[in-house]
Amino acid sequence: MSSSSHDELDYAGGGLRQETNWWGAFVVGLAGTILVTGIAPVMATVLGAAAIPLIVVITISGYLLCLFLSELAAMMPERTGGAPSYAYPAYKEKWPRFAKHVSGVTAWMYWLGWFPVAPLNMILASFYLSDRFNLNTTSGFTPINTFISWWTLIIAVIGILLFFIPAYLGIRFGTGFATVLAVIAMVPLTFLAAAWIFNPGAYDFGALSGFQQLDGSSFFSGVGTYGWFTFYAAYAFLLTWNVIAMECVACYIGECKNPDRDAKIAINLEAGYGLFVYTMIPLGFVVVLGASKLSDSALVDPNTMFVTFAGKVFSSSGEWLHWLIAIMLIVALALSALNAIMGCARSLHQMSVDGQFPRFFQHVNHHGVPDRAMFFNVLASLVVIMAGGAVEIYTFSNVGYTFSFLPVLVGYYLLRKYKPNARRPVKLPEFMKYVALGLAAFYAFIWLYGGIYFAQIGNTETYYFLGWAVALAYLPLYFYRTRIEDKK
C-alpha cells in the first residue's frame, strides 16, 4: 500500500526482494535495446535510406514511452512487472470492476509480446553457432515453416533451459550474469555504432539524399500492390516490437533498493542509450554500405551485415572478424533471451497478486523471484520454437506487445487528471499527459492497421490469428481464478 498526504494511490506491491539498483535494472534492460542487432539489417536491406525516418520516429516514441514509465515506476515503487503493472491503479478508483480486466488483459498481452523473444533469439543464435562450427542446419534467416532442423531445435532448447538457472537464482545473481553478457555484447556494438563517424573515407551522406528506397524510387513510392502509407505502417508494426523494447528496464524497478532514485536513472539511461544505438547503427549501414551493397539479400543475415559493415569501417577482414561479430551477436541474443524469461514473469506474478490470474503464479522461491511464472515462460518458449522463423514469431508476438502500452499510456493521463497531487519523485511537465494520449493513438494505429498489413506482406496471417487465440486465452484463466479459486 502506498499513500501521500494529498492523493492516495491504492495498490498491492509485488512482494519481491529489493536486492538490486539502477545498474542491475539497466543491464538486464539492455535485452530490449540489443534487439537492434536483428532489426537494423532487415530495415536497411528492405527499405534502404527510406528506413531512416521511420526508425527515427519509432525510436523517439520509445524514448517518450520510457519517460512516462520513469514517472509511473517512481510513483508505485513496490509494483513489479514493469509497464502493465501501472495500469491497474490508474483505473481502479474510477472504474474498479473495469480496472481488473484492464490490468489482466494488459499484463497478458505484455506477456504475449515478450516471452517469444527467448525462442526467437535462441533460433537465431543456433544459426550463428552452426555457421561457426559447421553444423548441418538451416543457415541465414529464411523462415522454417514446416520443419526445424535438429541442431536448431537442440541448441534452442538447451539455451532456454540453461538461462532458466540464473533467472531462478534471484535478481542479484541474474543481474550479475547479465552484466557479464552486456559487457561482452554491448562494448563492441557501441563501438561499431560510433566508430564509422571517425572514418570520413568510409561513408557517404549522399546515400541519404531524398531518403530513397533501394531501387532509387522516392520515399513516397508504393511497393508492389501496397501504397507507401500502408507499407510503412506495416513495417512500423515490425519496428515497434523491437525498438520500444528498451522499456523492459521498468520490470525490475520494484526490486531496486532505492526505487525513487533508481527508476529515474535506470529508465532514462536505457532510453538515451536506445535512442543512440537504434539511430546510429542503421544510419551507419546506409551511409557506409550504400544502396548497391544493401541490395544484396544475404545482408539480411545480421552476421553477414555486421561483418561487411565492420570490414569497410576498419578496412579489415579475416576469420577473426567473423568470430568477433558472431560472438557479439550470440551473447546479445543470450542477454535478450534471459530477460524474456525473467521480465514478463514479473508481470504474470503481479497480475496474480492483483487477482486476475491463477494463484499458482504468486509463488516466490527462497531467492525472492517468481519461479513458477518463469518456468511457465520456459514451457511456452519450448512450444514456440517449433514456429521456426523470425517473421512468424514477430507477427504472433506483436499481437500482444504494442497493444499492451495503450492502457498504460491512457492510465498515465488518468493519474495526472484524477491524482494531480499524488507523490511523484519523477514528474514530467503537465502537457506530457496529452502527449501520452497522442502516443497511445499512434500505437493503436500501428497495432491494428499496421499489424493486419504486416501479416499480409509477410504471408503470416496464420500466426497473426494464433496470436489472437493466445490473447483470448486470458478469459478462461481469469474465470478460473475468480470463479473457482477465489470461491474456495
Side-chain angles (χ1 to χ4, degrees):
M1 182 77 68
S2 177
S3 64
S4 77
S5 57
H6 299 94
D7 287 330
E8 180 180 334
L9 280 182
D10 184 12
Y11 62 85
L16 303 184
R17 292 182 185 175
Q18 295 178 308
E19 294 185 334
T20 190
N21 55 18
W22 66 266
W23 172 255
F26 170 71
V27 293
V28 182
L30 285 172
T33 309
I34 209 120
L35 293 176
V36 68
T37 57
I39 193 59
V42 173
M43 296 302 297
T45 53
V46 171
L47 296 178
I52 301 303
L54 187 61
I55 291 172
V56 169
V57 169
I58 300 298
T59 304
I60 291 174
S61 80
Y63 182 85
L64 290 172
L65 175 63
C66 286
L67 293 183
F68 295 127
L69 293 181
S70 67
E71 180 173 322
L72 292 171
M75 283 181 72
M76 296 171 263
E78 293 87 9
R79 298 287 280 177
T80 189
S85 68
Y86 308 133
Y88 186 39
Y91 295 81
K92 186 177 181 181
E93 183 172 325
K94 291 292 180 181
W95 308 285
R97 296 186 65 181
F98 176 63
K100 292 182 179 181
H101 294 291
V102 168
S103 174
V105 170
T106 303
W108 183 244
M109 296 292 258
Y110 187 79
W111 173 82
L112 173 58
W114 256 111
F115 92 85
V117 172
L120 171 61
N121 284 2
M122 287 298 95
I123 290 169
L124 302 184
S126 74
F127 296 152
Y128 304 139
L129 289 169
S130 300
D131 175 67
R132 290 293 85 201
F133 293 101
N134 298 314
L135 302 176
N136 183 22
T137 186
T138 304
S139 61
F141 285 79
T142 303
I144 309 168
N145 293 316
T146 58
F147 177 75
I148 184 169
S149 75
W150 281 108
W151 273 119
T152 297
L153 182 62
I154 291 169
I155 292 171
V157 169
I158 291 175
I160 289 172
L161 293 176
L162 285 177
F163 289 128
F164 179 70
I165 297 172
Y168 180 88
L169 293 177
I171 188 65
R172 184 181 298 175
F173 186 88
T175 54
F177 188 76
T179 298
V180 175
L181 297 179
V183 169
I184 296 174
M186 301 309 291
V187 168
L189 184 65
T190 304
F191 186 66
L192 285 174
W196 61 269
I197 286 289
F198 301 100
N199 185 0
Y203 59 85
D204 176 18
F205 278 115
L208 296 174
S209 179
F211 295 110
Q212 296 178 345
Q213 298 182 29
L214 282 181
D215 61 1
S217 58
S218 75
F219 179 86
F220 296 104
S221 297
V223 178
T225 59
Y226 300 97
W228 68 270
F229 186 78
T230 297
F231 189 73
Y232 290 132
Y235 273 90
F237 178 80
L238 174 62
L239 269 171
T240 54
W241 189 90
N242 291 265
V243 176
I244 65 176
M246 52 189 164
E247 55 73 29
C248 69
V249 62
C251 290
Y252 307 99
I253 299 303
E255 294 167 82
C256 289
K257 297 175 183 176
N258 186 359
D260 286 3
R261 168 180 172 269
D262 293 339
K264 182 177 182 179
I265 298 174
I267 297 178
N268 280 275
L269 185 60
E270 200 77 58
Y273 183 71
L275 189 64
F276 168 71
V277 295
Y278 268 106
T279 53
M280 292 298 290
I281 289 179
L283 182 63
F285 285 161
V286 171
V287 300
V288 170
L289 299 178
S292 60
K293 188 67 177 176
L294 290 173
S295 298
D296 183 355
S297 60
L299 293 185
V300 177
D301 181 336
N303 188 53
T304 305
M305 172 72 91
F306 277 100
V307 168
T308 305
F309 174 71
K312 190 165 183 180
V313 170
F314 303 116
S315 302
S316 180
S317 61
E319 189 66 11
W320 70 271
L321 188 59
H322 286 266
W323 273 103
L324 177 65
I325 298 299
I327 291 171
M328 179 192 77
L329 292 174
I330 290 168
V331 173
L333 293 167
L335 175 61
S336 197
L338 174 66
N339 175 73
I341 294 172
M342 293 174 61
C344 59
R346 269 80 175 160
S347 299
L348 296 182
H349 169 78
Q350 186 67 65
M351 181 180 172
S352 180
V353 170
D354 289 341
Q356 296 96 41
F357 213 53
R359 295 177 183 273
F360 173 86
F361 295 92
Q362 289 185 29
H363 187 267
V364 175
N365 69 10
H366 64 281
H367 296 292
V369 294
D371 54 337
R372 291 179 182 174
M374 293 191 298
F375 185 65
F376 179 71
N377 284 351
V378 169
L379 293 178
S381 297
L382 296 179
V383 174
V384 171
I385 287 174
M386 302 310 297
V391 178
E392 287 84 352
I393 296 177
Y394 284 146
T395 307
F396 166 78
S397 177
N398 208 19
V399 169
Y401 187 59
T402 302
F403 172 86
S404 71
F405 298 105
L406 307 186
V408 178
L409 290 166
V410 174
Y412 178 89
Y413 171 83
L414 294 175
L415 285 171
R416 274 300 186 92
K417 182 176 181 179
Y418 296 113
K419 298 285 187 179
N421 299 314
R423 173 183 170 276
R424 286 182 171 86
V426 178
K427 188 174 183 180
L428 302 177
E430 189 63 24
F431 71 87
M432 291 296 283
K433 66 184 180 183
Y434 301 110
V435 176
L437 287 180
L439 189 58
F442 180 60
Y443 284 163
F445 169 77
I446 291 173
W447 170 69
L448 190 59
Y449 185 82
I452 291 171
Y453 282 102
F454 181 77
Q456 291 182 12
I457 291 172
N459 194 28
T460 54
E461 291 96 335
T462 299
Y463 291 87
Y464 184 73
F465 289 113
L466 280 174
W468 274 104
V470 173
L472 291 172
Y474 160 75
L475 294 174
L477 291 167
Y478 172 80
F479 284 122
Y480 175 78
R481 168 62 189 269
T482 56
R483 304 292 174 84
I484 298 177
E485 287 191 329
D486 287 352
K487 284 189 176 182
K488 291 180 180 179

